[in-house]
Amino acid sequence: MPARPLPSSTPAAQGVDACGVLAFLDALDSAPDIEPHSLMILRHGHLVASGWWAPYTPERPHLLYSISKSFTATAAGIAAAEGLIRLDDPVISYFPELDADITDPRSRAMLVRHVASMASGHESDTLFDARDLDREDLVRGFLLIPPTRDPGTVFAYNQPATFTLSAIVQRASGQSLTEFLRPRLLDPLGIGDVSWLCDRSGRELGFSGLHATTDAVARLGQLYLRGGVWEGERLLPEWWVTEATRPQIPNAGVMPGGDWQQGYGFKFWMSRHGYRGDGAFGQFCIVLPEQDAVIATTADTWDMQALLNLVWEHLLPAFGPAPVTGGEAADEALAERLAGLALPPAAGKPAPPEQAEAWTAAAFTPDGGVCGHVPGLTAIDLEQHTDGWTLTLTEDGHPLRVRLGETGWTVAEEPVPTAVSGGWTDPDTLVVDLAFLETPHHLDVRCSLKDRTFKASWRTDPLHGLPLRAMRAARASV
């Protein structure tokens, strides 16, 4: 059953100056290192602005990276309310099969609240060390690493801490995170299909890997803004919302960027304004209690602080105390602008006629024997059709075929949701932009006819190490 749309309103009616939102969009257009994918703004419980930069669309799930942590924390809050877990229980108490293995007193003293607040006592991320210690059970690998400080005394952004919290919820409930959240959170909020990457044992990662829509992110933010109540129904205990969104552990000087040094709650960051869930490369769920507003974004950028700076510079002042008088023209201009958002396709011309025969059925190998940031990509083959070209990217023996049209973006859903653009920059050079639409990521490909070689590199490096054919949301969802 389709989700009930969020209540909508004009910006002016909710005290939002559309000129500020337009200025934000202008700033994004001028920021060379930020590629926006979506934007939703809620004010006083109403959706006042939303837009997706084509080829991204509202209904498409997007890899949220560490906003996954905020959903995991929400599951923990619900589990705590149901008496399934307790914040002051030792972590080891949920894994009795590990009792004999975990002998370090600090590891044994670690509480649920410590892994919920990135305060396990470790001073750095333990992900790779924990995996080295136990490839099959990340919880065991994590607990085998003795914290250098007492739990609760130091912040470290530590992926296995969140994985352990998610494993506790899954162990205590006997369900996956998605199964647990479906009747308790996702259905009541009107969130449709979601999917989560899993570890080798089938446990959902918790710390990352959630694919969901921007609308889902906005609804989660609105739930927290309303203290855990949605349409008159309490979904989260008020005490959990309070605890999750206040500083549980200081982190000044630990992380780069002013908005990463304001303190950390239960899988929410404190910001210079309000608080937020965030995920790598510009996925944000920004909650502004003083402005009674929620801002959700998806994007592809290394410079997440720059994106937040633009929010503070342009969107924050746009939230006024009263309806905007005479704002109709700006509202209309904003609506028109949002409806026409689009990413420019890669520059290029049609295949040069003098080289058309040479390009047809051409094959390319990696330049210099390596392939940028895609080491398994060993060959690219090109084939011409009446309406464009097919590129076959062979990675570890597995082919991925994508279509390149004559102009603009060519979107395909199978075998992986992609959008492809590009063309010839000169008779001997083909440039292709390959966007994996259910992730933030683009693969830039350059083929040289003269050398019969190619170069391929990610604009931002995917963090899960998945092959190209798996760069999508899983289709089996609860």
Side-chain angles (χ1 to χ4, degrees):
M1 183 174 63
R4 183 188 306 176
L6 292 166
S8 62
S9 172
T10 63
Q14 303 304 321
V16 179
D17 184 355
C19 292
V21 184
L22 285 165
F24 176 70
L25 298 176
D26 288 340
L28 287 178
D29 285 345
S30 301
D33 297 325
I34 301 174
E35 179 186 273
H37 293 169
S38 69
L39 170 69
M40 294 182 70
I41 302 174
L42 281 69
R43 182 88 194 282
H44 302 326
H46 292 79
L47 181 63
V48 297
S50 62
W52 284 257
W53 279 258
Y56 298 87
T57 54
E59 69 281 358
R60 187 177 297 283
H62 200 277
L63 177 56
L64 301 180
Y65 279 115
S66 285
I67 292 181
S68 307
K69 293 179 172 70
S70 301
F71 281 88
T72 295
T74 304
I78 295 171
E82 294 182 5
L84 296 175
I85 69 174
R86 292 185 295 269
L87 288 178
D88 291 316
D89 282 346
V91 168
I92 191 64
S93 68
Y94 291 90
F95 307 98
E97 73 278 12
L98 303 180
D99 189 69
D101 293 341
I102 309 307
T103 58
D104 180 79
R106 284 174 171 158
S107 292
R108 298 186 66 86
M110 196 186 303
L111 306 179
V112 174
R113 68 168 60 252
H114 296 145
V115 294
S117 58
M118 297 292 190
S120 64
H122 300 95
E123 294 185 286
S124 61
D125 189 11
T126 61
L127 180 59
F128 298 110
D129 288 341
R131 282 179 173 167
D132 287 344
L133 286 169
D134 196 323
R135 298 292 297 180
E136 302 301 324
D137 187 350
L138 189 61
V139 172
R140 181 175 178 273
F142 170 59
L143 292 177
L144 284 173
I145 300 172
T148 53
R149 305 270 290 276
D150 289 339
T153 64
V154 62
F155 171 88
Y157 196 64
N158 195 352
Q159 308 294 356
T162 307
F163 180 85
T164 299
L165 180 66
S166 72
I168 289 170
V169 174
Q170 292 176 81
R171 173 68 64 89
S173 68
Q175 297 178 296
S176 71
L177 289 173
T178 306
E179 290 169 339
F180 182 73
L181 288 173
R182 175 54 64 194
R184 295 167 172 86
L185 180 81
L186 304 178
D187 283 345
L189 289 186
I191 294 175
D193 287 349
V194 303
S195 64
W196 223 311
L197 296 178
C198 297
D199 72 350
R200 293 186 178 190
S201 68
R203 285 184 295 194
E204 292 173 334
L205 291 183
F207 65 85
S208 187
L210 179 63
H211 288 80
T213 62
T214 313
D215 180 82
V217 174
R219 289 171 188 254
L220 182 72
Q222 186 66 22
L223 175 67
Y224 274 84
L225 181 64
R226 289 291 175 261
V229 174
W230 185 266
E231 296 181 345
E233 178 185 1
R234 178 160 291 284
L235 304 182
L236 270 175
E238 187 174 13
W239 69 264
W240 176 266
V241 174
T242 300
E243 291 299 300
T245 61
R246 73 169 182 87
Q248 293 288 332
I249 187 78
N251 61 356
V254 179
M255 301 287 288
D259 279 292
W260 279 264
Q261 301 190 40
Q262 307 298 317
Y264 195 77
F266 290 153
K267 311 307 174 190
F268 283 93
W269 296 88
M270 306 304 106
S271 292
R272 285 178 289 169
H273 308 279
Y275 57 88
R276 70 189 193 280
D278 65 45
F281 311 116
Q283 326 322 309
F284 283 118
C285 177
I286 303 168
V287 183
L288 301 170
E290 291 187 10
Q291 289 74 27
D292 193 26
V294 173
I295 302 167
T297 70
T298 59
D300 184 19
T301 180
W302 284 112
D303 197 347
M304 294 172 64
Q305 184 63 71
L307 179 51
L308 280 179
N309 290 344
L310 295 181
V311 171
W312 306 147
E313 181 180 355
H314 299 290
L315 294 185
L316 194 68
F319 299 122
V324 178
T325 302
E328 294 81 5
D331 286 351
E332 292 177 5
L334 176 59
E336 182 178 355
R337 177 77 170 275
L338 291 168
L341 295 174
L343 299 178
K349 299 178 181 180
E354 67 274 21
Q355 293 281 34
E357 183 175 350
W359 279 102
T360 301
F364 303 89
T365 57
D367 177 33
V370 297
C371 179
H373 297 100
V374 194
L377 187 57
T378 57
I380 294 179
D381 297 283
L382 202 61
E383 183 179 358
Q384 187 176 21
H385 304 279
T386 57
D387 59 345
W389 298 76
T390 293
L391 279 77
T392 301
L393 292 80
T394 301
E395 180 188 27
D396 296 325
H398 297 274
L400 175 66
R401 295 179 177 88
V402 297
R403 294 297 299 272
L404 173 64
E406 294 293 340
T407 59
W409 293 99
T410 300
V411 176
E413 297 300 323
E414 298 295 340
V416 180
T418 56
V420 182
S421 67
W424 280 260
T425 56
D426 62 57
D428 289 315
T429 307
L430 171 65
V431 174
V432 174
D433 177 355
L434 174 54
F436 290 85
L437 290 175
E438 293 180 352
T439 81
H441 302 295
H442 290 252
L443 185 66
D444 290 321
V445 176
R446 178 180 294 268
C447 297
S448 169
L449 185 64
K450 179 180 179 180
D451 301 326
R452 297 294 172 124
T453 61
F454 72 87
K455 295 181 180 179
S457 59
W458 295 106
R459 292 187 197 169
T460 53
D461 297 329
L463 301 182
H464 293 298
L466 297 175
L468 300 180
R469 62 188 181 278
M471 295 280 287
R472 66 178 302 166
R475 288 300 179 259
S477 53
V478 179

